[in-house]
Amino acid sequence: MPNGHVHYEACDQLHWTFTEQGYPEFRIDRYHYSRIVRVLHLRGVRGYAPIPRWETFTPPEYWLGKAPPRAAVEDIAVKYVGALQALLTSNPKDPLDRGVRGASMVLFWFELGWALRIGDYSLYVRAGDEPLREIVKPGPAMPTDIEMTDEMREQWSRIMGMISTAVGVDGLHSGIKPEECVHDLRGVTELLCSTTPLDVAPSWPRIAASPVFSAESSGLVAEAMRAHGLQRETDQLTLRWSRPAGE
């Protein structure tokens, strides 16, 4: 193409748009012949988003080599959390209250088999022919002095997982460390990464059993994104990837 983009058919995105202003705004970047993909968005409250000075955003530079150890990826996670924190406070004229500003991001090194997930993204992976399974986010320990039903525990874990791994102006919440946001994808053959919690959709068993690029999966994921987007009144994004044959 004229702009030099290199196609990477193994990875694409599904978008469901609800708002005229594009909230949240998803910023998607690809690197190294598209085998590295980063998705970033900011959120505030009731449809309001932070207004940062994007020109000040300085992602960490890195070179992982062919077989990076986990420690190298964890070091990048620490640096990214700092960069996102600085972005949220980059505009002294931002009218949005500092306490409700948040940043979420996913970064995939597909060929190397590593991922960095911060904030409002659910991640589902498949190894071989098994159904998709969720990679549960780290979160604070569940309280033991409150009686909860199974439904309440599931909801609490999901909310805490989202909050605890999002970046605010003071960094990650609830004592979660950036290193805990790193995921090993070696051995993974397919994945879905979505702002929609697909595993709570009624169609999840069928989504989990279907190839991510199949017509059935595409339609069911789009339906789940629409239902969640209408409930939250926000746009939704799902990133899909399937390991190319021979890799």
Side-chain angles (χ1 to χ4, degrees):
M1 296 180 68
N3 63 358
H5 174 72
V6 179
H7 292 284
Y8 184 43
E9 296 180 358
C11 179
D12 68 9
Q13 303 94 34
L14 297 178
H15 295 256
W16 183 82
T17 302
F18 179 71
T19 64
E20 291 78 7
Q21 72 269 34
Y23 176 74
E25 176 192 4
F26 296 105
R27 296 197 168 216
I28 303 172
D29 297 287
R30 293 172 177 246
Y31 307 94
H32 298 285
Y33 299 99
S34 300
R35 270 69 171 179
I36 299 176
V37 178
R38 185 184 69 205
V39 184
L40 168 64
H41 74 267
L42 306 182
R43 281 194 176 176
V45 63
R46 297 194 307 274
Y48 293 94
I51 307 175
R53 294 176 55 199
W54 283 104
E55 70 275 11
T56 67
F57 183 49
T58 53
E61 296 183 0
Y62 57 83
W63 174 251
L64 291 176
K66 293 184 178 180
R70 184 183 183 94
V73 185
E74 291 178 350
D75 181 64
I76 296 171
V78 173
K79 294 176 180 177
Y80 254 111
V81 167
L84 292 173
Q85 185 179 347
L87 178 64
L88 290 174
T89 57
S90 62
N91 182 5
K93 297 183 179 179
D94 191 339
L96 192 64
D97 187 272
R98 291 168 58 93
V100 298
R101 301 178 199 174
S104 296
M105 188 193 78
V106 286
L107 176 60
F108 291 97
W109 295 270
F110 288 116
E111 288 188 344
L112 300 179
W114 292 101
L116 171 58
R117 175 181 52 160
I118 297 171
D120 192 18
Y121 292 93
S122 296
L123 180 59
Y124 310 95
V125 300
R126 168 180 289 123
D129 296 326
E130 69 177 19
L132 289 167
R133 60 179 177 83
E134 182 183 13
I135 295 183
V136 180
K137 297 176 181 177
M142 188 171 297
T144 58
D145 57 343
I146 302 177
E147 293 187 6
M148 292 186 178
T149 64
D150 291 342
E151 182 179 356
M152 291 171 60
R153 289 178 181 275
E154 181 179 351
Q155 185 179 18
W156 188 91
S157 297
R158 181 174 301 281
I159 293 175
M160 288 299 102
M162 182 181 71
I163 294 174
S164 64
T165 59
V167 173
V169 296
D170 296 319
L172 286 170
H173 302 292
S174 303
I176 300 301
K177 298 180 180 179
E179 295 88 338
E180 297 179 75
C181 299
V182 172
H183 303 286
D184 189 342
L185 300 182
R186 292 171 294 183
V188 169
T189 53
E190 288 192 331
L191 66 79
L192 294 175
C193 182
S194 183
T195 54
T196 300
L198 299 173
D199 57 294
V200 301
S203 57
W204 170 244
R206 295 168 62 190
I207 294 174
S210 304
V212 297
F213 287 133
S214 67
E216 180 174 29
S217 174
S218 301
L220 294 173
V221 168
E223 289 180 353
M225 292 168 65
R226 182 178 188 275
H228 186 69
L230 287 174
Q231 182 184 32
R232 298 293 184 89
E233 297 184 338
T234 56
D235 298 355
Q236 302 293 308
L237 178 142
T238 296
L239 183 145
R240 311 185 294 180
W241 176 79
S242 182
R243 186 180 299 277
E247 290 190 5

